[in-house]
Amino acid sequence: MPIPFLHWLRSRFDLANDMADPAEIVADVEAGIAFKGTNLWVLLFAILVASVGLNVNSTAVIIGAMLISPLMGPIVGVGFGAATANLDLVRRGLKNLSIAAGLSVLVSALYFSFTPLTEAGSELLARTTPTTWDVAIALFGGAAGAIGFTRREVSNVVPGVSIATALMPPLCTAGYGLATAHWSFLAGAMYLFCINVAFISLAMFLVARLLPLPHHAFVNRQQARRAKLLFWGVAVLTAVPSVYLAARIVRRTTFEHNAQRFVDAELNLPGAYVVTRRIEADKGTINVLLTGRMLTLTQLRTVRARLQDYHLRRAQLTVRQGLAQLDSADARALRTSLLEDLRSRNEQTLAGYEARLAQLQQLLTQQATYAARLPAPNVLLREVQAEHPTVRQLALSQLTHSATDSLRADTTVVVSIRATRPLPAAEVQRLTEWLTVRAGTRLPVRLLLDGAL
């Protein structure tokens, strides 16, 4: 019983069934490595598109730059060359990747030196602080891209990987940091780019090792052994820094998460309010400004003793009490928090207004349609076009004339139309009479001609 199940499982996860011809895979890898001709022009345009997208904070434009960017080519070449023991492929992949990365940073820096928009938007800031998820996305996305790259049928896997594992935006963010002397932006963006490159190459290496691909042939066994050691050394050197970066990111993210939980649970005491919190994972410090009821030394010792319950045994907790302890960093953090809250509330309020307005407009249309026994505007437009083909747009509404004392309010159905040319008076009269009959003669109908298209 277990044997058939294992055969079935192997057939389901077999990657060799629809694998492309090895010669075609190698040709595709070779074509994607070199940056000349088409690849070079596409790279330059992708740099400019990504720079503009980051500059105007447009997600759609940045996604477009990710799709057309050819940076995946040399990264795939490095991983594929290491897996198939092709030293020349690895060397050319690293060389062209370095050239492309340097060109991307310089061109984007040149763009940001001349653009009048110098404010860093959210899309740009998102590329300056890598997180644990960036490591996972690069590894899993790179594996998916490696599988899609080696298939016979062209799929949308590789473009999807280009979007998921952002390569061009971090380089353009580094160019922004270089142009504006924001060195932390430059370091953070290059840090993110190195993470993506290392883990995509590692994923390509692992997938290619699982596939039945021919390896490079050597003259003698000693040369083969030396090359094998060299390739495995390159693979280890590629993996070890990535693992170190991943572990560092995990520690920082875990520290920040635990510190947030600690502050929310232990320092939001009755009568006390957390004004600002500054959590620095690299230094292992938690700096909190409290206002309201003052905490005693005993209470502070009790709070510090609870650090170990949140896996923060070595963290240094600083609690400042009273607004007199407010410093410039607190003021900036408080201002940023207030602006963010205000922006979020404004967006929620605006969304609520828009939803309510849409409901009221729909209700008015439904009431006018019901009262006049007229169909929905799109249905009525088709009926009108049967006799008046020049009519292109139609709107339906209800006009109520308020009355006083015991007089009853009068309601008029208003039908507004737009045509490609002015309608003759006779045609307007005929259309008005038809609408009145179509409305069931319960309510008067007024026809408005809203100009010509």
Side-chain angles (χ1 to χ4, degrees):
M1 183 64 183
I3 301 301
F5 174 75
L6 291 177
H7 283 300
W8 176 85
L9 196 63
R10 182 176 180 181
S11 65
R12 288 289 178 179
F13 288 92
D14 189 7
L15 291 175
N17 285 336
D18 59 342
M19 189 185 79
D21 184 79
E24 295 179 3
I25 298 176
V26 173
D28 290 339
V29 173
E30 294 276 357
I33 285 181
F35 281 105
K36 61 181 180 180
T38 302
N39 281 356
L40 182 58
W41 281 105
V42 172
L43 175 66
L44 291 174
F45 292 138
I47 296 170
L48 294 175
V49 170
S51 299
V52 172
L54 291 170
N55 200 195
V56 301
N57 206 40
S58 174
T59 305
V61 175
I62 296 172
I63 292 176
M66 296 178 193
L67 280 171
I68 64 177
S69 171
L71 284 174
M72 283 288 290
I75 299 175
V76 169
V78 172
F80 187 84
T84 57
N86 191 332
L87 181 60
D88 180 64
L89 203 60
V90 175
R91 186 186 300 112
R92 285 190 290 127
L94 291 174
K95 175 184 175 182
N96 287 308
L97 180 62
S98 301
I99 293 173
L103 184 64
S104 300
V105 173
L106 291 178
V107 172
S108 58
L110 185 64
Y111 169 83
F112 284 111
S113 298
F114 290 98
T115 179
L117 305 176
T118 58
E119 188 71 21
S122 59
E123 290 291 344
L124 193 146
L125 293 174
R127 271 80 188 182
T128 60
T129 51
T131 64
T132 308
W133 310 120
D134 296 309
V135 176
I137 290 170
L139 182 61
F140 300 142
I147 294 173
F149 190 83
T150 55
R151 300 304 95 186
R152 285 194 298 266
E153 299 292 334
V154 178
S155 66
N156 60 351
V157 173
V158 176
V161 173
S162 299
I163 297 175
T165 57
L167 295 168
M168 184 58 71
L171 290 176
C172 294
T173 301
Y176 172 86
L178 181 63
T180 59
H182 283 79
W183 308 121
S184 61
F185 287 7
L186 174 62
M190 292 304 299
Y191 182 37
L192 175 58
F193 177 74
C194 291
I195 287 175
N196 289 337
V197 169
F199 278 89
I200 293 173
S201 298
L202 179 62
M204 184 69 202
F205 171 82
L206 295 175
V207 172
R209 293 293 297 180
L210 295 175
L211 298 175
L213 295 169
H215 287 199
H216 184 72
F218 296 94
V219 177
N220 51 59
R221 295 181 59 185
Q222 184 178 1
Q223 185 182 11
R225 183 173 178 273
R226 190 185 306 115
K228 185 176 180 180
L229 291 176
L230 177 62
F231 292 135
W232 275 107
V234 171
V236 171
L237 289 177
T238 303
V240 168
S242 302
V243 173
Y244 168 74
L245 295 177
R248 183 180 175 185
I249 292 172
V250 168
R251 286 197 300 270
R252 185 172 69 227
T253 305
T254 303
F255 181 90
E256 292 175 352
H257 176 69
N258 291 337
Q260 293 283 3
R261 289 175 50 237
F262 169 79
V263 173
D264 292 337
E266 303 298 335
L267 291 176
N268 276 318
L269 301 174
Y273 177 73
V274 178
V275 180
T276 61
R277 64 187 77 186
R278 299 203 299 269
I279 300 171
E280 299 184 38
D282 294 333
K283 298 179 181 179
T285 60
I286 306 172
N287 195 315
V288 180
L289 175 63
L290 294 179
T291 187
R293 184 171 66 87
M294 303 289 287
L295 303 185
T296 64
L297 292 177
T298 302
Q299 289 175 315
L300 289 175
R301 282 195 294 268
T302 303
V303 168
R304 286 192 173 91
R306 298 294 304 275
L307 284 170
Q308 60 184 357
D309 297 339
Y310 296 86
H311 307 287
L312 299 170
R313 187 185 304 272
R314 298 182 180 180
Q316 297 180 4
L317 175 64
T318 301
V319 179
R320 293 168 294 128
Q321 303 190 65
L323 292 179
Q325 303 294 324
L326 186 73
D327 58 19
S328 59
D330 290 324
R332 288 194 301 269
L334 185 59
R335 178 178 178 272
T336 302
S337 178
L338 290 174
L339 290 176
E340 188 66 24
D341 289 344
L342 181 60
R343 183 187 63 81
S344 177
R345 289 177 181 273
N346 286 339
E347 290 179 352
Q348 293 177 359
T349 303
L350 181 59
Y353 286 158
E354 291 177 348
R356 183 58 180 165
L357 179 60
Q359 291 176 355
L360 291 175
Q361 289 176 338
Q362 183 179 7
L363 181 61
L364 288 174
T365 302
Q366 290 175 350
Q367 288 178 347
T369 302
Y370 174 77
R373 295 184 181 177
L374 288 175
N378 58 337
V379 177
L380 185 61
L381 175 60
R382 290 196 296 268
E383 295 181 1
V384 170
Q385 286 177 334
E387 292 293 334
H388 308 276
T390 59
V391 176
R392 288 292 178 267
Q393 294 179 357
L394 183 145
L396 184 63
S397 61
Q398 182 175 286
L399 180 63
T400 302
H401 303 276
S402 300
T404 59
D405 301 331
S406 60
L407 295 178
R408 185 177 179 181
D410 293 331
T411 302
T412 301
V413 177
V414 180
V415 180
S416 175
I417 64 171
R418 283 187 179 182
T420 56
R421 58 176 177 79
L423 297 179
E427 191 171 349
V428 173
Q429 180 64 27
R430 189 168 66 254
L431 179 56
T432 303
E433 294 174 355
W434 180 85
L435 288 171
T436 302
V437 175
R438 184 68 175 83
T441 66
R442 294 181 57 188
L443 296 175
V445 177
R446 175 173 294 182
L447 180 63
L448 295 181
L449 302 179
D450 193 13
L453 294 174

